[in-house]
């Protein structure tokens, strides 16, 4: 049988007050005279206000509006291994939430180490939302829209924040994800997966045919750069400006077995429509570059058109070979530029270069 506190609590409080007076006055008949009218009214009001929700079954209580039990789970499976590597490669997430009208709601920044099971709980009412997440934006190389400047989804921006629009050091690995979802009123826990893709790419260029010991392209009076208009991104990870970024080598490594030279670049996202060019020139000659080519067709060599998007989403490392031939009057001419399989030759550099530099 359930106990009904609502019927006993007022009587208990009144009796307690009465007997308290008896304790001090020694005469229970006199106690009511000392209880002021105001005291009695206040006591009754308090008791009545509490009675409505003190029954153990809560049948008479007004329901309290609580948000649905909802969370986002972050995954990074768009990699060459096609396994989830979110915790291994993402250090920090920068989450932006927008409502059904694409109006900005809030921004949440979290260290990945603070997430439980790669999951972030959200106290949102039922409705439709869009989540945009950038990974590793805590590094100074990236600038993301500030909350005070953000009203709608279309205003969200991420940009490379670098001097002179030049990259000549290793870039932090940048990630992006976007998901639109609907939260419904139900008792079961709801979990929405958000899949991230990697924006930072590695491009290795192997120079073959060099006839001297070479620790840098400058040793043979050459320079190389990759230029692309991929330094600024909208909410959906598409480049939105014509700002040209110059990507210079972040490392140059010779081999021990021959005079081949490995030159490594870090760039941001590469798409089929990317405007990216590779340029090579002799710094002693006032002439057009020896190479001035659209880079993307070389990187997509052998990929079927219908597979391009998936290939670029899962592939983060590319390798090219530039063939050089020495000429009698000094210097070199370029014989070829082609895509190569890095796994076939990477052992030439593994033993002499710390991991991460190649």
């Amino acid at each position: 049988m359930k106990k009904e506190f609502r019927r006993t609590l007022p009587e208990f409080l009144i009796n307690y007050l009465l007997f308290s007076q008896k304790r001090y006055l020694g005469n229970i008949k006199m106690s009511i005279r000392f209880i002021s009218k105001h005291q009695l009214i206040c006591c009754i009001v308090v008791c009545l206000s509490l009675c409505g929700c003190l029954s153990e079954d809560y049948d008479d209580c007004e329901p309290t509006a609580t948000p649905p039990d909802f969370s986002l789970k972050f995954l990074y499976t768009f990699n060459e291994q096609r396994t989830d590597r979110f915790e291994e490669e993402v250090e920090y997430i920068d989450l932006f939430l927008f409502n059904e009208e694409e109006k900005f709601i809030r921004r949440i920044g979290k260290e990945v180490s603070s997430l439980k099971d790669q999951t972030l709980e959200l106290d949102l009412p039922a409705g439709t939302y869009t989540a945009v997440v950038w990974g590793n934006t805590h590094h100074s190389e990236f600038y993301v829209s500030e909350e005070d400047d953000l009203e709608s989804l279309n205003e969200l921006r991420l940009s490379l924040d670098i001097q002179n629009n030049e990259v000549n050091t290793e870039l932090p690995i940048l990630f992006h994800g976007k998901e639109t979802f609907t939260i419904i009123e139900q008792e079961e826990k709801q979990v929405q997966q958000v899949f991230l893709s990697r924006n930072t790419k590695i491009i290795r260029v192997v120079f073959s045919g060099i006839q001297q010991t070479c620790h840098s392209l400058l040793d043979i009076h050459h320079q190389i750069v990759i230029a692309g208009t991929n330094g600024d991104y909208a909410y959906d990870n598409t480049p939105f400006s014509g700002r040209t970024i110059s990507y210079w080598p972040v490392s140059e490594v010779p081999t021990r077995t021959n005079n081949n030279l490995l030159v490594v670049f870090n760039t941001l996202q590469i798409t089929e429509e990317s405007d990216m060019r590779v340029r090579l020139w002799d710094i002693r000659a006032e002439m057009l570059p020896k190479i001035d080519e659209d880079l993307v067709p070389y990187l997509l060599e052998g990929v079927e058109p219908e597979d391009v998007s998936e290939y670029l989403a899962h592939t983060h490392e590319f390798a090219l070979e530039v063939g050089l031939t020495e000429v009698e009057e000094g210097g070199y001419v370029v014989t070829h530029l082609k895509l190569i399989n890095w796994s076939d030759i990477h052992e030439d550099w593994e033993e002499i270069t710390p991991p991460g530099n190649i």
Side-chain angles (χ1 to χ4, degrees), residues 89-104:
E89 300 201 29
V90 185
E91 303 168 355
Y92 180 88
I93 58 169
D94 209 350
L95 176 67
F96 294 80
L97 291 170
F98 301 84
N99 64 16
E100 190 170 6
E101 290 74 37
E102 298 187 346
K103 298 299 183 183
F104 174 64

Side-chain angles (χ1 to χ4, degrees), residues 303-319:
V303 181
E304 296 297 329
E306 62 271 18
D307 298 330
V308 166
S309 296
E310 183 177 358
Y311 174 75
L312 290 176
H314 286 87
T315 306
H316 314 308
E317 301 180 10
F318 306 88

Side-chain angles (χ1 to χ4, degrees), residues 5-23:
F5 292 149
R6 69 181 72 185
R7 288 197 284 263
T8 61
L9 184 59
E11 181 182 354
F12 169 77
L13 289 177
I14 292 173
N15 287 336
Y16 175 79
L17 190 57
L18 289 172
F19 283 102
S20 296
Q21 295 293 330
K22 177 184 177 182
R23 179 181 177 183

Side-chain angles (χ1 to χ4, degrees), residues 86-96 107-113 133-144 146 158-159 161 171-175:
F86 177 78
E87 290 185 327
E88 288 81 2
E89 300 201 29
V90 185
E91 303 168 355
Y92 180 88
I93 58 169
D94 209 350
L95 176 67
F96 294 80
R107 177 182 185 179
I108 302 173
K110 285 283 186 180
E111 297 285 345
V112 168
S113 59
V133 59
W134 298 96
N136 295 343
T137 54
H138 60 308
H139 292 283
S140 61
E141 289 87 348
F142 304 117
Y143 171 80
V144 189
E146 296 290 344
L158 178 139
S159 297
D161 189 11
L171 283 175
I173 301 177
L174 177 68
F175 294 88

Side-chain angles (χ1 to χ4, degrees), residues 170 202 204 250-253 262-266 342 349 352-358:
E170 188 173 352
I202 297 174
R204 300 180 177 94
V250 298
S251 63
E252 296 179 80
V253 187
L262 171 65
V263 179
V264 183
F265 297 87
N266 280 176
W342 174 248
W349 282 273
I352 59 175
T353 309
N357 293 339
I358 62 172

Side-chain angles (χ1 to χ4, degrees), residues 165-206:
N165 295 327
E166 295 184 333
V167 174
N168 50 26
T169 58
E170 188 173 352
L171 283 175
I173 301 177
L174 177 68
F175 294 88
H176 171 268
K178 182 179 79 72
E179 197 68 48
T180 298
F181 54 90
T182 299
I183 302 176
I184 59 177
E185 291 283 4
Q186 63 179 31
E187 294 183 1
E188 295 83 4
K189 182 176 180 63
Q190 302 169 70
V191 179
Q192 174 65 54
Q193 294 181 331
V194 180
F195 289 90
L196 276 66
S197 60
R198 172 172 162 166
N199 271 26
T200 308
K201 309 294 185 181
I202 297 174
I203 299 177
R204 300 180 177 94
V205 182
V206 176

Side-chain angles (χ1 to χ4, degrees), residues 128-166:
T128 299
Y129 302 89
T130 296
V132 179
V133 59
W134 298 96
N136 295 343
T137 54
H138 60 308
H139 292 283
S140 61
E141 289 87 348
F142 304 117
Y143 171 80
V144 189
S145 300
E146 296 290 344
E147 295 96 316
D148 294 341
D149 302 326
L150 191 58
E151 293 184 1
S152 66
L153 181 63
N154 288 326
E155 295 175 348
L156 181 58
R157 297 286 186 267
L158 178 139
S159 297
L160 261 179
D161 189 11
I162 52 177
Q163 290 186 347
N164 304 319
N165 295 327
E166 295 184 333

Side-chain angles (χ1 to χ4, degrees), residues 274-323:
S274 293
D275 180 14
M276 299 188 72
R277 303 192 71 82
V278 56
R279 298 187 175 103
L280 173 73
W281 66 95
D282 188 325
I283 62 176
R284 301 171 301 178
E286 295 182 3
M287 56 187 296
L288 293 175
K290 295 180 178 181
I291 294 178
D292 187 359
E293 297 283 346
D294 185 357
L295 177 63
V296 176
Y298 287 94
L299 303 182
L300 297 179
E301 183 181 326
V303 181
E304 296 297 329
E306 62 271 18
D307 298 330
V308 166
S309 296
E310 183 177 358
Y311 174 75
L312 290 176
H314 286 87
T315 306
H316 314 308
E317 301 180 10
F318 306 88
L320 298 168
E321 179 180 283
V322 175

